[in-house]
Amino acid sequence: MMIRVLVLITFIACIYSCASSPYRATNKVHKQQVKAFSKVLRQPPAPVHIDSVQNVTWWAGTTNFSIRKPNYVIIHHTAQNSCDQTLRTFTMPSTQVSAHYVICRDGVVHQMLNDYLRAWHAGASKWGSLTDVNSSSIGIEVDNNGSEPFPPQQIRSLMILLDTLRHRYTIPAANIIGHGDIAPGRKVDPSAYFPWQQLAEKGFGLWYGDTANIVVPDNFSNLQGLRIIGYNVKDSVAAIGAFKRHWIPADSLTRDTLSMGERKILYSIMEQSQ
């Protein structure tokens, strides 16, 4: 009888362990990679040998340094149909994509990578003079297929996370942007359904107020305004489309022109960005 009980307990423990840790195998790989990077950091730098110059045989390690901190948050939608699907995608080496956080439709938050480590979420992108966005940003994937509204509980969790990151790393409001902003023409996430205004009202991103009294100078260039905000304007139509999707989603399908009212919005955002 006692043996049967022990077998049953062991069986239940195994089931519970498997259910509570479905990513044990990939977590092991994650830990191995972190350990390898830690080993690299602990090693003193190799000496630099230069011909005709006396080479030192000792090392002077500076005492003045810290871990690099992220300065941007890039928001994505997953373009998939479930959180589980995205978690699997980000734990498959063949996909070569990842993010620091994944927020499910029910508001559950999965942190997949330490904030100080470099996730592969931005891809080929540019914002202002920044061309390696992955190295200075935190990537947040919001579970959404790109053609549906975002549930309130999901946005609530996102704003709580953003508030944590903002205070932890002193991230400016203007540096909370979307994947479509940094990769116009290539990416459209987090889609025109994303509630940027709601986030901006809490200090997460920029928005505009009443633009009725804004006077746009006659010589104001739309492309120059977009460039000052941060957009890559090499493809002007894509840049305008990305701007509209973020700040004028109701007119995001008209990508090649800006009305006077929209130029006022552009001018307002530009002034806040400087």
Side-chain angles (χ1 to χ4, degrees):
M1 182 67 178
M2 181 62 69
I3 294 176
R4 290 181 179 178
V5 171
L6 290 175
V7 170
L8 180 60
I9 292 174
T10 303
F11 178 71
I12 293 174
C14 179
I15 293 176
Y16 178 79
S17 175
C18 294
S20 62
S21 183
Y23 289 95
R24 285 180 300 169
T26 52
N27 286 348
K28 184 177 180 180
V29 175
H30 178 106
K31 291 177 181 178
Q32 290 171 344
Q33 291 180 241
V34 170
K35 185 176 180 180
F37 282 124
S38 298
K39 185 177 180 180
V40 172
L41 290 174
R42 288 195 299 269
Q43 293 176 349
V48 179
H49 297 293
I50 302 175
D51 292 341
S52 73
V53 176
Q54 182 180 357
N55 296 303
V56 295
T57 57
W58 39 267
W59 168 52
T62 181
T63 57
N64 308 313
F65 64 98
S66 62
I67 297 177
R68 293 182 178 180
K69 293 184 179 181
N71 193 42
Y72 287 84
V73 172
I74 310 300
I75 299 175
H76 310 247
H77 69 239
T78 60
Q80 296 186 318
N81 294 313
S82 73
C83 226
D84 287 340
Q85 185 180 1
T86 298
L87 295 179
R88 286 196 298 272
T89 298
F90 289 170
T91 52
M92 296 170 60
S94 60
T95 64
Q96 295 289 286
V97 291
S98 60
H100 294 87
Y101 298 89
V102 176
I103 304 180
C104 304
R105 286 171 169 81
D106 60 3
V108 172
V109 178
H110 295 274
Q111 181 169 8
M112 302 193 72
L113 188 67
N114 187 293
D115 294 341
Y116 291 103
L117 296 179
R118 184 179 185 271
W120 301 343
H121 64 96
S125 54
K126 187 175 186 291
W127 189 248
S129 60
L130 181 64
T131 56
D132 184 4
V133 179
N134 280 335
S135 291
S136 60
S137 66
I138 289 175
I140 300 177
E141 289 274 358
V142 185
D143 181 26
N144 185 287
N145 61 21
S147 59
E148 59 184 340
F150 295 78
Q153 64 269 26
Q154 188 178 45
I155 297 303
R156 179 177 180 274
S157 292
L158 172 61
M159 289 198 290
I160 292 173
L161 174 58
L162 288 174
D163 188 59
T164 300
L165 297 176
R166 177 179 61 180
H167 286 91
R168 184 179 294 166
Y169 305 117
T170 320
I171 297 175
N175 289 6
I176 300 175
I177 48 181
H179 197 189
D181 295 314
I182 62 174
R186 188 176 69 85
K187 293 293 182 178
V188 298
D189 50 318
S191 88
Y193 288 99
F194 190 75
W196 283 112
Q197 182 177 1
Q198 182 181 350
L199 267 66
E201 288 171 353
K202 297 295 184 180
F204 311 126
L206 301 180
W207 202 254
Y208 54 92
D210 185 2
T211 60
N213 295 323
I214 290 180
V215 177
V216 179
D218 293 337
N219 63 347
F220 174 68
S221 165
N222 292 340
L223 294 185
Q224 180 65 15
L226 290 168
R227 188 181 293 110
I228 291 173
I229 292 172
Y231 285 99
N232 180 359
V233 298
K234 184 176 181 179
D235 183 340
S236 60
V237 173
I240 292 173
F243 172 79
K244 283 191 171 187
R245 187 168 50 250
H246 188 134
W247 279 285
I248 319 169
D251 192 32
S252 60
L253 297 180
T254 307
R255 301 176 56 193
D256 56 346
T257 60
L258 290 172
S259 67
M260 178 51 69
E262 292 169 342
R263 278 166 54 83
K264 289 184 176 183
I265 293 172
L266 171 60
Y267 193 79
S268 173
I269 300 299
M270 181 201 71
E271 289 195 315
Q272 296 177 64
S273 301
Q274 297 185 85

